[in-house]
Amino acid sequence: RRQRLAQVLRLFVKLGVTGFGGPAATVAMMEDEVVNRRRWLTRTQFLDVVGVTNLIPGPNATEIAMHVGLVRAGWLGLITAGVSFIVPAAAITLGLAWLYARYGALPAIAPLLAGIKPAVLAVIATALWRLGKTGIKNGKLAVMGLVVLAASLWGVNEILALFAGGVLGMVWLQADSLRRPRSRPGAGAMGLLVPGLPLVARPLVGVAAPTVLQLGLFFLKIGAVMYGSGYVLIAFLQGGLVDDLGWLTQQQLLDAIAAGQFTPGPLLSTATFIGYLLLGLPGAGVATVAVFLPSFVFSAILGPIVPRFRRSPWAAAFLDAVNACSLGLMAAVALELGASTLRSWPAVLILVLSAIAGLRWKLNSAWLVLGGAAIGGIAALLGWG
Protein backbone atom coordinates (compact mmCIF):
# COMPACT_ATOMS: atom_id res chain seq x y z
CA ARG A 1 0.00 0.00 0.00
CA ARG A 2 2.84 2.42 0.79
CA GLN A 3 4.46 1.71 -2.55
CA ARG A 4 1.18 2.31 -4.37
CA LEU A 5 0.60 5.55 -2.48
CA ALA A 6 4.07 6.69 -3.49
CA GLN A 7 3.29 5.84 -7.11
CA VAL A 8 0.05 7.84 -6.97
CA LEU A 9 1.85 10.77 -5.33
CA ARG A 10 4.61 10.88 -7.96
CA LEU A 11 2.23 10.61 -10.90
CA PHE A 12 -0.20 13.31 -9.86
CA VAL A 13 2.49 15.72 -8.72
CA LYS A 14 3.93 15.37 -12.24
CA LEU A 15 0.52 15.90 -13.84
CA GLY A 16 -0.13 18.84 -11.53
CA VAL A 17 3.07 20.49 -12.74
CA THR A 18 2.72 19.69 -16.46
CA GLY A 19 -1.07 19.57 -16.95
CA PHE A 20 -1.50 22.64 -19.14
CA GLY A 21 -4.42 23.19 -21.51
CA GLY A 22 -7.58 22.75 -19.47
CA PRO A 23 -9.65 19.71 -18.48
CA ALA A 24 -9.67 17.94 -21.87
CA ALA A 25 -5.88 18.08 -22.11
CA THR A 26 -5.39 16.95 -18.51
CA VAL A 27 -7.77 14.01 -18.97
CA ALA A 28 -5.86 13.05 -22.12
CA MET A 29 -2.58 13.10 -20.17
CA MET A 30 -4.12 10.95 -17.43
CA GLU A 31 -5.31 8.43 -20.01
CA ASP A 32 -1.78 8.21 -21.40
CA GLU A 33 -0.29 7.64 -17.94
CA VAL A 34 -2.78 5.36 -16.17
CA VAL A 35 -4.04 3.32 -19.14
CA ASN A 36 -1.35 3.33 -21.79
CA ARG A 37 1.78 3.33 -19.63
CA ARG A 38 1.01 2.06 -16.15
CA ARG A 39 -2.10 -0.03 -16.94
CA TRP A 40 -3.75 0.80 -13.61
CA LEU A 41 -7.12 0.89 -15.41
CA THR A 42 -8.35 -0.61 -18.64
CA ARG A 43 -9.44 1.82 -21.34
CA THR A 44 -13.07 0.84 -20.73
CA GLN A 45 -12.76 1.50 -16.99
CA PHE A 46 -11.18 4.88 -17.67
CA LEU A 47 -13.95 5.82 -20.11
CA ASP A 48 -16.56 4.85 -17.51
CA VAL A 49 -14.94 7.15 -14.95
CA VAL A 50 -14.77 10.01 -17.46
CA GLY A 51 -18.41 9.54 -18.44
CA VAL A 52 -19.78 9.44 -14.92
CA THR A 53 -17.69 12.30 -13.51
CA ASN A 54 -19.01 14.51 -16.32
CA LEU A 55 -22.45 14.11 -14.73
CA ILE A 56 -21.58 15.35 -11.22
CA PRO A 57 -20.57 18.81 -9.98
CA GLY A 58 -16.96 19.86 -9.61
CA PRO A 59 -13.79 19.93 -11.73
CA ASN A 60 -13.90 16.77 -13.83
CA ALA A 61 -10.15 16.23 -14.24
CA THR A 62 -9.57 16.54 -10.49
CA GLU A 63 -12.35 14.05 -9.74
CA ILE A 64 -10.95 11.59 -12.30
CA ALA A 65 -7.56 11.88 -10.59
CA MET A 66 -9.18 11.08 -7.25
CA HIS A 67 -10.94 8.03 -8.66
CA VAL A 68 -7.70 6.72 -10.16
CA GLY A 69 -6.07 7.14 -6.76
CA LEU A 70 -8.95 5.22 -5.15
CA VAL A 71 -8.59 2.33 -7.60
CA ARG A 72 -4.83 2.18 -7.19
CA ALA A 73 -4.38 2.69 -3.45
CA GLY A 74 -7.76 2.83 -1.70
CA TRP A 75 -9.21 5.76 0.22
CA LEU A 76 -5.79 7.17 1.10
CA GLY A 77 -5.01 6.99 -2.61
CA LEU A 78 -8.07 9.12 -3.37
CA ILE A 79 -6.90 11.81 -0.95
CA THR A 80 -3.28 11.57 -2.09
CA ALA A 81 -4.20 11.87 -5.77
CA GLY A 82 -6.46 14.86 -5.18
CA VAL A 83 -4.03 16.75 -2.95
CA SER A 84 -0.95 16.04 -5.07
CA PHE A 85 -2.78 17.13 -8.23
CA ILE A 86 -4.18 20.34 -6.70
CA VAL A 87 -1.25 21.59 -4.60
CA PRO A 88 1.29 22.23 -7.43
CA ALA A 89 -1.21 24.37 -9.36
CA ALA A 90 -2.26 26.19 -6.20
CA ALA A 91 1.38 26.85 -5.23
CA ILE A 92 2.28 28.23 -8.67
CA THR A 93 -0.87 30.36 -8.71
CA LEU A 94 -0.03 31.65 -5.24
CA GLY A 95 3.38 32.72 -6.51
CA LEU A 96 1.75 34.59 -9.38
CA ALA A 97 -0.65 36.24 -6.92
CA TRP A 98 2.29 37.43 -4.83
CA LEU A 99 3.97 38.89 -7.93
CA TYR A 100 0.74 40.53 -8.97
CA ALA A 101 0.15 42.06 -5.54
CA ARG A 102 3.76 43.29 -5.42
CA TYR A 103 4.23 44.58 -8.98
CA GLY A 104 0.68 45.01 -10.27
CA ALA A 105 1.14 42.76 -13.32
CA LEU A 106 1.63 39.14 -14.31
CA PRO A 107 4.89 37.91 -15.83
CA ALA A 108 4.99 37.80 -19.63
CA ILE A 109 4.81 34.11 -20.54
CA ALA A 110 2.63 34.37 -23.63
CA PRO A 111 5.32 32.89 -25.95
CA LEU A 112 5.51 29.74 -23.83
CA LEU A 113 1.72 29.40 -23.88
CA ALA A 114 1.74 29.84 -27.66
CA GLY A 115 3.93 26.75 -27.89
CA ILE A 116 2.09 24.77 -25.23
CA LYS A 117 -1.35 25.07 -26.85
CA PRO A 118 -0.61 23.18 -30.10
CA ALA A 119 1.24 20.49 -28.12
CA VAL A 120 -1.81 20.16 -25.89
CA LEU A 121 -3.98 19.90 -28.99
CA ALA A 122 -1.86 16.96 -30.14
CA VAL A 123 -2.21 15.31 -26.72
CA ILE A 124 -6.01 15.62 -26.93
CA ALA A 125 -6.09 14.27 -30.49
CA THR A 126 -3.92 11.29 -29.51
CA ALA A 127 -6.19 10.47 -26.56
CA LEU A 128 -9.28 10.78 -28.76
CA TRP A 129 -7.79 8.29 -31.20
CA ARG A 130 -7.00 5.75 -28.48
CA LEU A 131 -10.21 6.19 -26.49
CA GLY A 132 -12.33 6.27 -29.63
CA LYS A 133 -11.11 2.83 -30.68
CA THR A 134 -12.41 1.47 -27.36
CA GLY A 135 -15.44 3.67 -26.73
CA ILE A 136 -17.00 3.75 -30.20
CA LYS A 137 -18.06 0.12 -30.36
CA ASN A 138 -20.69 0.38 -33.09
CA GLY A 139 -22.36 2.73 -35.54
CA LYS A 140 -25.01 3.87 -33.06
CA LEU A 141 -22.38 5.13 -30.61
CA ALA A 142 -20.54 6.86 -33.45
CA VAL A 143 -23.74 8.68 -34.36
CA MET A 144 -24.31 9.71 -30.71
CA GLY A 145 -20.78 11.10 -30.48
CA LEU A 146 -21.16 13.09 -33.70
CA VAL A 147 -24.53 14.49 -32.61
CA VAL A 148 -23.09 15.69 -29.28
CA LEU A 149 -20.05 17.11 -31.09
CA ALA A 150 -22.37 19.14 -33.35
CA ALA A 151 -24.57 20.17 -30.42
CA SER A 152 -21.57 21.36 -28.41
CA LEU A 153 -20.26 23.43 -31.32
CA TRP A 154 -23.78 24.84 -31.72
CA GLY A 155 -23.69 26.01 -28.10
CA VAL A 156 -25.89 23.43 -26.36
CA ASN A 157 -25.17 23.05 -22.64
CA GLU A 158 -22.68 20.20 -22.21
CA ILE A 159 -24.45 18.62 -19.22
CA LEU A 160 -27.78 18.67 -21.06
CA ALA A 161 -26.08 17.07 -24.05
CA LEU A 162 -24.54 14.34 -21.86
CA PHE A 163 -27.77 13.51 -20.02
CA ALA A 164 -29.88 13.54 -23.17
CA GLY A 165 -27.29 11.57 -25.11
CA GLY A 166 -26.93 9.02 -22.31
CA VAL A 167 -30.67 8.41 -21.92
CA LEU A 168 -31.51 8.38 -25.63
CA GLY A 169 -28.46 6.28 -26.42
CA MET A 170 -29.36 3.79 -23.67
CA VAL A 171 -32.86 3.34 -25.11
CA TRP A 172 -31.51 3.09 -28.66
CA LEU A 173 -28.88 0.51 -27.72
CA GLN A 174 -31.38 -1.55 -25.70
CA ALA A 175 -34.27 -1.23 -28.17
CA ASP A 176 -34.06 -4.90 -29.13
CA SER A 177 -34.33 -6.02 -25.51
CA LEU A 178 -37.62 -4.11 -25.17
CA ARG A 179 -39.15 -6.38 -27.81
CA ARG A 180 -38.20 -9.67 -26.14
CA PRO A 181 -39.11 -10.97 -22.66
CA ARG A 182 -36.49 -10.88 -19.93
CA SER A 183 -36.05 -13.33 -17.09
CA ARG A 184 -35.52 -10.51 -14.62
CA PRO A 185 -35.41 -6.73 -14.83
CA GLY A 186 -32.01 -5.07 -14.85
CA ALA A 187 -31.11 -2.25 -12.51
CA GLY A 188 -31.72 1.16 -14.06
CA ALA A 189 -28.78 3.42 -14.70
CA MET A 190 -30.38 6.56 -13.36
CA GLY A 191 -30.82 5.08 -9.89
CA LEU A 192 -27.05 4.80 -9.56
CA LEU A 193 -26.32 8.39 -10.52
CA VAL A 194 -26.01 11.48 -8.41
CA PRO A 195 -28.84 13.36 -10.19
CA GLY A 196 -29.18 17.07 -10.69
CA LEU A 197 -29.37 19.92 -13.14
CA PRO A 198 -26.87 22.75 -13.56
CA LEU A 199 -27.44 25.23 -10.75
CA VAL A 200 -26.38 28.84 -10.36
CA ALA A 201 -24.47 29.67 -7.20
CA ARG A 202 -26.43 32.27 -5.24
CA PRO A 203 -23.81 34.66 -3.84
CA LEU A 204 -23.58 35.80 -0.25
CA VAL A 205 -24.93 39.17 0.85
CA GLY A 206 -22.57 41.85 -0.46
CA VAL A 207 -20.16 43.49 1.97
CA ALA A 208 -17.27 45.91 1.56
CA ALA A 209 -14.66 43.25 2.35
CA PRO A 210 -15.10 39.54 3.07
CA THR A 211 -14.25 37.71 6.24
CA VAL A 212 -12.45 34.38 6.04
CA LEU A 213 -15.75 32.60 6.73
CA GLN A 214 -17.60 34.49 4.00
CA LEU A 215 -14.86 33.81 1.49
CA GLY A 216 -14.83 30.12 2.40
CA LEU A 217 -18.60 29.79 2.12
CA PHE A 218 -18.63 31.52 -1.25
CA PHE A 219 -16.07 29.15 -2.79
CA LEU A 220 -17.57 26.12 -1.02
CA LYS A 221 -20.90 26.89 -2.71
CA ILE A 222 -19.22 27.25 -6.09
CA GLY A 223 -17.38 23.94 -5.71
CA ALA A 224 -20.62 22.19 -4.74
CA VAL A 225 -22.80 23.34 -7.65
CA MET A 226 -20.42 24.00 -10.55
CA TYR A 227 -21.12 21.65 -13.43
CA GLY A 228 -19.03 21.22 -16.53
CA SER A 229 -15.47 22.32 -17.14
CA GLY A 230 -13.52 24.76 -15.03
CA TYR A 231 -14.38 27.52 -17.49
CA VAL A 232 -17.90 27.63 -16.03
CA LEU A 233 -16.15 29.09 -12.97
CA ILE A 234 -15.63 32.37 -14.84
CA ALA A 235 -19.36 33.06 -15.08
CA PHE A 236 -19.87 32.35 -11.37
CA LEU A 237 -17.00 34.61 -10.33
CA GLN A 238 -18.13 37.47 -12.56
CA GLY A 239 -21.67 37.40 -11.19
CA GLY A 240 -20.64 36.90 -7.57
CA LEU A 241 -17.35 38.66 -6.88
CA VAL A 242 -17.68 41.60 -9.28
CA ASP A 243 -21.36 42.28 -9.97
CA ASP A 244 -23.01 41.37 -6.65
CA LEU A 245 -20.39 41.51 -3.91
CA GLY A 246 -17.94 44.01 -5.32
CA TRP A 247 -14.96 42.23 -3.74
CA LEU A 248 -12.95 42.47 -6.99
CA THR A 249 -12.79 44.83 -9.94
CA GLN A 250 -13.34 43.53 -13.46
CA GLN A 251 -9.64 43.85 -14.24
CA GLN A 252 -8.60 41.98 -11.10
CA LEU A 253 -10.95 39.13 -12.02
CA LEU A 254 -9.57 38.96 -15.56
CA ASP A 255 -6.01 38.85 -14.18
CA ALA A 256 -6.98 36.11 -11.73
CA ILE A 257 -8.49 34.03 -14.55
CA ALA A 258 -5.37 34.60 -16.66
CA ALA A 259 -3.24 33.33 -13.78
CA GLY A 260 -5.36 30.18 -13.61
CA GLN A 261 -4.91 29.63 -17.35
CA PHE A 262 -1.16 30.28 -17.23
CA THR A 263 -0.61 27.62 -14.59
CA PRO A 264 -0.89 23.83 -15.00
CA GLY A 265 -3.47 21.71 -13.22
CA PRO A 266 -7.10 22.60 -12.56
CA LEU A 267 -8.40 26.04 -13.55
CA LEU A 268 -10.05 26.25 -10.13
CA SER A 269 -6.65 27.25 -8.77
CA THR A 270 -7.91 30.72 -9.74
CA ALA A 271 -9.57 30.60 -6.31
CA THR A 272 -6.09 30.62 -4.73
CA PHE A 273 -5.20 33.81 -6.58
CA ILE A 274 -8.44 35.54 -5.58
CA GLY A 275 -8.17 34.44 -1.96
CA TYR A 276 -4.64 35.86 -1.72
CA LEU A 277 -5.69 39.19 -3.23
CA LEU A 278 -8.55 39.53 -0.76
CA LEU A 279 -7.13 38.15 2.50
CA GLY A 280 -3.51 37.18 1.96
CA LEU A 281 -2.26 33.68 2.81
CA PRO A 282 -5.28 32.78 5.01
CA GLY A 283 -7.60 33.76 2.17
CA ALA A 284 -5.61 31.74 -0.37
CA GLY A 285 -5.72 28.65 1.86
CA VAL A 286 -9.41 28.90 2.70
CA ALA A 287 -10.49 29.59 -0.88
CA THR A 288 -8.44 26.67 -2.22
CA VAL A 289 -9.69 24.17 0.34
CA ALA A 290 -13.30 25.32 0.04
CA VAL A 291 -13.56 25.18 -3.74
CA PHE A 292 -12.04 21.66 -3.96
CA LEU A 293 -13.57 20.09 -0.83
CA PRO A 294 -16.88 19.07 -2.50
CA SER A 295 -14.94 17.17 -5.17
CA PHE A 296 -13.41 14.90 -2.50
CA VAL A 297 -16.90 14.20 -1.12
CA PHE A 298 -18.45 13.51 -4.54
CA SER A 299 -15.55 11.28 -5.57
CA ALA A 300 -15.72 9.29 -2.34
CA ILE A 301 -19.44 8.68 -2.92
CA LEU A 302 -19.00 7.88 -6.59
CA GLY A 303 -15.99 5.57 -6.29
CA PRO A 304 -17.74 2.38 -5.13
CA ILE A 305 -20.65 2.95 -7.54
CA VAL A 306 -18.84 3.04 -10.89
CA PRO A 307 -17.95 -0.71 -11.05
CA ARG A 308 -21.63 -1.60 -10.49
CA PHE A 309 -22.70 0.11 -13.69
CA ARG A 310 -21.39 -2.67 -15.91
CA ARG A 311 -23.44 -5.34 -14.12
CA SER A 312 -26.74 -4.18 -15.64
CA PRO A 313 -27.33 -4.22 -19.41
CA TRP A 314 -29.27 -0.96 -19.20
CA ALA A 315 -26.69 0.74 -17.00
CA ALA A 316 -23.90 -0.51 -19.27
CA ALA A 317 -25.75 0.85 -22.30
CA PHE A 318 -26.16 4.19 -20.53
CA LEU A 319 -22.43 4.29 -19.79
CA ASP A 320 -21.53 3.39 -23.37
CA ALA A 321 -23.72 6.23 -24.64
CA VAL A 322 -22.32 8.73 -22.14
CA ASN A 323 -18.77 7.69 -23.02
CA ALA A 324 -19.43 8.28 -26.72
CA CYS A 325 -20.97 11.67 -25.87
CA SER A 326 -17.95 12.54 -23.71
CA LEU A 327 -15.67 11.83 -26.67
CA GLY A 328 -17.87 14.14 -28.73
CA LEU A 329 -17.36 16.90 -26.17
CA MET A 330 -13.59 16.33 -26.17
CA ALA A 331 -13.60 16.54 -29.97
CA ALA A 332 -15.50 19.84 -29.78
CA VAL A 333 -12.88 21.22 -27.38
CA ALA A 334 -10.12 20.09 -29.75
CA LEU A 335 -11.77 21.80 -32.74
CA GLU A 336 -12.32 25.05 -30.84
CA LEU A 337 -8.76 24.98 -29.51
CA GLY A 338 -7.45 24.29 -33.00
CA ALA A 339 -9.38 27.21 -34.48
CA SER A 340 -7.86 29.62 -31.95
CA THR A 341 -4.37 28.07 -31.88
CA LEU A 342 -3.30 27.08 -35.39
CA ARG A 343 -2.80 30.60 -36.75
CA SER A 344 0.92 30.47 -37.51
CA TRP A 345 3.28 27.98 -39.10
CA PRO A 346 5.24 27.37 -35.84
CA ALA A 347 1.97 26.32 -34.16
CA VAL A 348 1.18 23.90 -37.00
CA LEU A 349 4.74 22.53 -36.85
CA ILE A 350 4.47 21.95 -33.09
CA LEU A 351 1.12 20.17 -33.58
CA VAL A 352 2.51 17.85 -36.28
CA LEU A 353 5.73 17.04 -34.39
CA SER A 354 3.83 16.43 -31.13
CA ALA A 355 1.25 14.20 -32.83
CA ILE A 356 3.97 12.12 -34.50
CA ALA A 357 5.92 11.82 -31.25
CA GLY A 358 2.79 10.83 -29.32
CA LEU A 359 1.34 8.34 -31.82
CA ARG A 360 4.44 6.90 -33.44
CA TRP A 361 6.97 6.91 -30.61
CA LYS A 362 4.48 7.16 -27.71
CA LEU A 363 6.47 9.96 -26.10
CA ASN A 364 5.17 10.92 -22.66
CA SER A 365 2.64 13.76 -22.85
CA ALA A 366 4.56 15.77 -20.24
CA TRP A 367 7.55 15.91 -22.60
CA LEU A 368 5.27 16.98 -25.44
CA VAL A 369 4.01 19.91 -23.39
CA LEU A 370 7.50 20.97 -22.29
CA GLY A 371 8.81 20.59 -25.83
CA GLY A 372 6.00 22.74 -27.16
CA ALA A 373 6.81 25.45 -24.61
CA ALA A 374 10.50 25.37 -25.60
CA ILE A 375 9.76 25.65 -29.33
CA GLY A 376 7.26 28.45 -28.66
CA GLY A 377 9.86 30.39 -26.70
CA ILE A 378 12.52 29.91 -29.39
CA ALA A 379 10.05 30.94 -32.13
CA ALA A 380 9.25 34.15 -30.24
CA LEU A 381 12.94 34.99 -29.77
CA LEU A 382 13.60 34.49 -33.48
CA GLY A 383 10.54 36.47 -34.50
CA TRP A 384 8.85 33.59 -36.32
CA GLY A 385 5.10 33.53 -36.86
Side-chain angles (χ1 to χ4, degrees), residues 70 79 105 384:
L70 176 64
I79 297 171
W384 294 344

Side-chain angles (χ1 to χ4, degrees), residues 214-236:
Q214 288 172 325
L215 185 67
L217 288 176
F218 178 81
F219 280 106
L220 183 67
K221 187 178 294 186
I222 285 181
V225 303
M226 191 195 73
Y227 272 87
S229 71
Y231 295 103
V232 180
L233 175 71
I234 298 172
F236 286 166

Side-chain angles (χ1 to χ4, degrees), residues 181-374:
R182 294 171 297 169
S183 58
R184 63 179 183 85
M190 302 308 292
L192 297 177
L193 292 176
V194 180
L197 295 175
L199 302 176
V200 177
R202 297 175 58 189
L204 304 170
V205 178
V207 292
T211 64
V212 172
L213 178 61
Q214 288 172 325
L215 185 67
L217 288 176
F218 178 81
F219 280 106
L220 183 67
K221 187 178 294 186
I222 285 181
V225 303
M226 191 195 73
Y227 272 87
S229 71
Y231 295 103
V232 180
L233 175 71
I234 298 172
F236 286 166
L237 296 182
Q238 171 68 37
L241 296 178
V242 177
D243 297 339
D244 296 324
L245 298 172
W247 291 349
L248 292 180
T249 66
Q250 180 75 50
Q251 186 59 50
Q252 286 173 327
L253 177 61
L254 291 175
D255 290 338
I257 293 167
Q261 291 176 320
F262 285 166
T263 55
L267 182 61
L268 262 67
S269 62
T270 297
T272 308
F273 191 100
I274 293 171
Y276 184 83
L277 290 187
L278 293 174
L279 294 173
L281 284 176
V286 167
T288 304
V289 171
V291 80
F292 286 108
L293 182 60
S295 295
F296 285 90
V297 176
F298 293 140
S299 298
I301 295 172
L302 188 67
I305 295 176
V306 173
R308 294 167 50 194
F309 273 71
R310 287 290 167 190
R311 299 176 188 172
S312 161
W314 281 87
F318 179 82
L319 265 185
D320 287 339
V322 168
N323 291 342
C325 295
S326 297
L327 292 174
L329 291 178
M330 285 183 66
V333 171
L335 290 176
E336 291 171 354
L337 181 61
S340 63
T341 299
L342 302 178
R343 296 183 176 181
S344 65
W345 71 263
V348 175
L349 177 63
I350 293 171
L351 170 66
V352 173
L353 292 177
S354 299
I356 293 174
L359 288 171
R360 177 66 178 85
W361 295 302
K362 296 180 171 50
L363 192 65
N364 191 290
S365 53
W367 291 113
L368 298 181
V369 170
L370 293 175

Side-chain angles (χ1 to χ4, degrees), residues 141-219:
L141 291 175
V143 170
M144 294 302 303
L146 290 173
V147 168
V148 171
L149 166 62
S152 180
L153 294 176
W154 191 261
V156 175
N157 180 274
E158 60 185 17
I159 302 302
L160 176 62
L162 278 175
F163 267 113
V167 173
L168 295 176
M170 174 182 65
V171 174
W172 193 15
L173 291 171
Q174 289 293 305
D176 291 339
S177 69
L178 292 174
R179 304 190 189 101
R180 61 177 182 264
R182 294 171 297 169
S183 58
R184 63 179 183 85
M190 302 308 292
L192 297 177
L193 292 176
V194 180
L197 295 175
L199 302 176
V200 177
R202 297 175 58 189
L204 304 170
V205 178
V207 292
T211 64
V212 172
L213 178 61
Q214 288 172 325
L215 185 67
L217 288 176
F218 178 81
F219 280 106

Side-chain angles (χ1 to χ4, degrees), residues 80-151:
T80 300
V83 171
S84 57
F85 182 60
I86 293 167
V87 167
I92 297 171
T93 306
L94 180 61
L96 290 177
W98 179 82
L99 289 173
Y100 182 83
R102 185 176 180 87
Y103 300 108
L106 293 171
I109 57 175
L112 300 182
L113 285 178
I116 286 173
K117 286 182 178 180
V120 162
L121 182 59
V123 171
I124 296 174
T126 302
L128 277 171
W129 173 256
R130 287 197 296 256
L131 292 173
K133 290 192 294 184
T134 300
I136 307 300
K137 303 175 181 178
N138 53 53
K140 292 180 179 180
L141 291 175
V143 170
M144 294 302 303
L146 290 173
V147 168
V148 171
L149 166 62

